């Protein structure tokens, strides 16, 4: 009846509603940060970078946005899920580039350190889409409104 989708707002045969954008930030365990003496963004050129397997260009985009040349931004282990990357970073394996909204608990508990305030906004966003055939459904309409409202409330918590 409806789906939450990360990507573009174009979905043939559906009505899409923007939920939120995604900002990614570099994080690692506090111990890794101290051991590697990470002080500035350029220091990330010499540490292990953790990657999300479906976002292979994320680190290259981050380095480009920071105007830092990095000869091997694709080097490092790849993980299928953000939760696995976060756990790898917590375990001290390397530095992860993660959506800030997904790691607020780890940041507030001190399990992960936000290395730099510089984030990059992903080209894609989160949307809820509803098939055109379901737009008039009271249940689907109610659910869609609830999801949109919750996304707005949640997004304001991370601003």
């Amino acid at each position: 009846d409806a789906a939450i989708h990360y990507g573009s707002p174009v979905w043939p045969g559906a009505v899409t509603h923007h939920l939120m954008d995604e900002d990614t930030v570099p994080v690692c365990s506090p111990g890794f940060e101290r051991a590697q003496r990470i002080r500035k963004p350029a220091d990330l050129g010499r540490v292990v970078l953790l990657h999300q397997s479906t976002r292979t260009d994320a680190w290259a985009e981050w380095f480009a946005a920071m105007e830092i040349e990095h000869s091997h931004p694709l080097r490092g282990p790849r993980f299928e899920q953000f939760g696995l990357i976060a756990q790898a970073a917590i375990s001290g394996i390397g530095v992860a580039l993660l959506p800030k909204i997904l790691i607020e608990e780890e940041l507030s508990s001190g399990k992960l350190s936000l290395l730099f305030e510089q984030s990059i906004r992903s080209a894609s966003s989160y949307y809820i889409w509803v098939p055109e055939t379901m737009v008039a459904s009271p249940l689907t309409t109610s659910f869609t409104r609830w999801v949109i409202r919750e996304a707005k409330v949640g997004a304001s918590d991370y601003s």
Side-chain angles (χ1 to χ4, degrees), residues 103-123:
I103 54 167
E104 286 296 328
E105 183 178 318
E106 290 84 353
L107 290 171
S108 65
S109 70
K111 291 179 181 177
L112 287 175
S113 291
L114 177 64
L115 292 174
F116 312 106
E117 289 297 322
Q118 297 98 328
S119 64
I120 60 168
R121 171 113 342 138
S122 300

Side-chain angles (χ1 to χ4, degrees), residues 33-100:
E33 179 181 9
R34 284 189 300 275
Q36 297 296 320
R37 297 186 180 110
I38 300 170
R39 310 259 190 276
K40 58 189 182 300
D43 292 342
L44 297 184
R46 58 179 169 72
V47 301
V48 173
L49 302 176
L50 307 175
H51 301 268
Q52 211 280 344
S53 61
T54 61
R55 299 187 188 187
T56 55
D57 292 335
W59 274 112
E61 290 170 5
W62 190 86
F63 282 113
M66 299 301 118
E67 299 179 352
I68 297 170
E69 286 193 38
H70 188 293
S71 57
H72 301 289
L74 301 177
R75 186 181 296 166
R78 286 163 177 55
F79 299 86
E80 291 295 317
Q81 299 172 347
F82 287 124
L84 295 175
I85 299 169
Q87 287 303 310
I90 290 167
S91 298
I93 294 174
V95 177
L97 189 60
L98 293 169
K100 191 172 183 184

